[in-house]
Structure formats: structure tokens, C-alpha cells
Amino acid sequence: MKPVRPAFVPDPSASREAMEALQREIAAAAAFADDFGFDSAAVSTTAATHTLDSIADDRTAAGPSHDDPPTVVGVDQAFLDDRAVGAIVALRGGEVIERAHAVVDLEFPYVPGLLSFRETGAILAAFENLDVEPDLAVFDGSGRIHYREAGLATHMGVTLDLPAVGVAKGLLCGAPQGSLDDLPEGTRVAIAANDSVETADDVDTVIGYALQTRQYDSGNRHINPVYVSAGHRVGGDTAADLVERLCDGYKLPEPTRLADSYADEVKRDHSG
């Protein structure tokens, strides 16, 4: 899979000002509304029996049939000295159907707010090594919850023109519209734009959700929420719905949880 919008592939020689300007262009090009061709209700970590039966009947050597559940890829990254690892795990109906990775030299330093530029090279290279055509990408990182509404999921989603969702472990910016302490499982708290989100039309614009995907029954221990936001061609509410459907008893959605494990595996293989 190659970039559809190569103009958004980062240039290592660009200045910080140019990279921030590019992020504003990416945000302007992003679609933070549903625009995909699959049934969102069919996104799951498991496949219904009747769906599997139809797949067995209809599958041909040409590839998946129209009855297949959507192909969802989890995308994660890791760093190894002066190299970056991009890792992708593709699932269809809860089954891992492909893994792809790439290891490339790092061309960007770590700069807060510009982390996607540091990660893009390895991720794009991994997508080029991916044979399957994904319907949805779930990224370990932010989407619209970003200073310029152009986190990793938005940057990659727009560049590849791929429906994308961002799932971050911490809140980069924005204002929670309620307490995030000790939330019951399944709770959503809207994250609204504030003065730190420079591209938002209004400071009250909802740019994502804190989603409590898992919580302990006991009050002695607590799990923090994840922060879900639209990347591209997926609305904010739908993004939260999809992530909730993709969690399989874990805090993180299964695609990115598996991609994280795969990134660590690749990193170990390339160490030393």
C-alpha cells in the first residue's frame, strides 16, 4: 500500500515551522466523519458462525469474498538505537491474516507535537510490505486529539486515504468534559478543544473521547482510560464505538495490542 497523497510524506530537511504548516494542511484535508465502505457493526474480535460459513463457501483464490468481515490493521512502532520499527498486524473476524514490518533509519529527532514525523517512515515502509488491503487502521497514537488536529492516525490516514482511528494512552491536549477518575467500564468522557488546539473552529468542539475500556471490580486498583479520536474518514463517535468493539478483555484494542507485541518481537530480532 503506497501513499495516495505523497505531498504529505514528511521531508527530513523541512524546518519545524514547515512541518507544523504541513500538519495544518493535513488537518484541513482530513475527514472527521464516517466515509467507509464496511459495516461498522461487523467489526469485532470474533466472527459470527454464519459469517465464517459464508466465507468458507465463497472464498476463492482471488482473495476475500464480499461476505468477509472488515480487515482491520493495528499499527504500532518501536525504536532501536538510531532506527525505527513499524509493525502492522491485520485481522479479519478476529483471525490474524498477515503481519508486516519495516525497520528504517531515523531521520527526525524527537520533537513534541511532531512525533508522527519521526514515526512515519517506518510505518509507511511497513504498509508497503503489507499485501492485504485494509478497511480500517487503528493506530497506537493520537488522531484529532492533537495541537493541530493532525496526530499520527490523521497524518497516516490522510496520506494513505485510509479510514483511521487513533488510540493514545495519554491525553496530549484538550479539555475533558468531566472527571476521569475511577470511571466504570464502558464510560465515555468527551474531550473538547481548548486554547491548545490551534486549528479547532471552536474551543468547545469535541475532538475525541476518554474511553474506559476496562476496569477492575475492586476499588483498590484502577485502570486509566484510553483516548480515542478520529484519524481520517471516521467520525469521533464511531471511532469510540469501533475501539470498544475491538477490545477483547484488555485495556487496548486487540489490533494495536498485537501490533505492540509484534513491534517488540521485531525489535528483539534486530537487536545486536
Side-chain angles (χ1 to χ4, degrees):
M1 188 174 193
K2 294 181 178 295
V4 175
R5 294 182 171 97
F8 292 147
V9 176
D11 176 3
S13 67
S15 65
R16 176 167 185 160
E17 292 74 16
M19 287 189 278
E20 291 179 351
L22 183 64
Q23 286 183 325
R24 296 184 190 98
E25 291 181 35
I26 290 167
F32 298 129
D34 292 352
D35 178 22
F36 47 78
F38 59 88
D39 178 6
S40 61
V43 173
S44 174
T45 56
T46 58
T49 302
H50 71 274
T51 302
L52 290 174
D53 289 342
S54 66
I55 291 170
D57 291 340
D58 295 342
R59 189 181 298 277
T60 67
S65 77
H66 65 278
D67 291 317
D68 278 344
T71 298
V72 181
V73 296
V75 186
D76 201 357
Q77 54 287 321
F79 298 98
L80 180 63
D81 300 325
D82 57 351
R83 292 171 291 170
V85 175
I88 301 174
V89 176
L91 296 95
R92 186 181 297 133
E95 176 189 0
V96 175
I97 58 172
E98 188 182 355
R99 301 196 306 175
H101 75 272
V103 180
V104 304
D105 292 337
L106 276 171
E107 297 182 293
F108 291 88
Y110 170 74
V111 180
L114 296 173
L115 187 58
S116 67
F117 289 78
R118 185 172 171 83
E119 299 171 339
T120 294
I123 291 173
L124 287 177
F127 267 105
E128 286 201 30
N129 292 332
L130 186 71
D131 291 327
V132 71
E133 191 76 18
D135 295 298
L136 173 71
V138 182
F139 288 85
D140 178 40
S142 294
R144 196 178 184 186
I145 299 179
H146 181 271
Y147 304 116
R148 286 165 289 280
E149 297 184 278
L152 177 65
T154 302
H155 195 155
M156 291 293 87
V158 172
T159 301
L160 296 165
D161 194 24
L162 175 65
V165 171
V167 183
K169 302 178 187 72
L171 183 59
L172 183 63
C173 60
Q177 303 301 285
S179 174
L180 302 181
D181 295 331
D182 306 340
L183 297 175
E185 189 171 313
T187 302
R188 297 182 190 182
V189 176
I191 306 297
N194 56 14
D195 291 340
S196 65
V197 185
E198 63 178 75
T199 54
D201 294 331
D202 189 283
V203 292
D204 293 325
T205 299
V206 174
I207 56 176
Y209 291 92
L211 176 63
Q212 192 70 50
T213 55
R214 185 170 177 257
Q215 189 57 277
Y216 291 121
D217 294 330
S218 167
N220 297 326
R221 295 186 298 168
H222 302 283
I223 298 173
N224 294 326
V226 295
Y227 299 91
V228 180
S229 56
H232 180 52
R233 294 175 55 188
V234 180
D237 289 333
T238 301
D241 290 341
L242 291 168
V243 170
E244 195 163 15
R245 294 181 67 86
L246 287 167
C247 289
D248 190 24
Y250 295 95
K251 174 179 176 176
L252 298 177
E254 190 69 356
T256 54
R257 192 181 73 84
L258 293 176
D260 174 76
S261 178
Y262 183 40
D264 286 343
E265 178 185 329
V266 174
K267 184 176 176 179
R268 288 193 300 271
D269 290 343
H270 286 78
S271 295

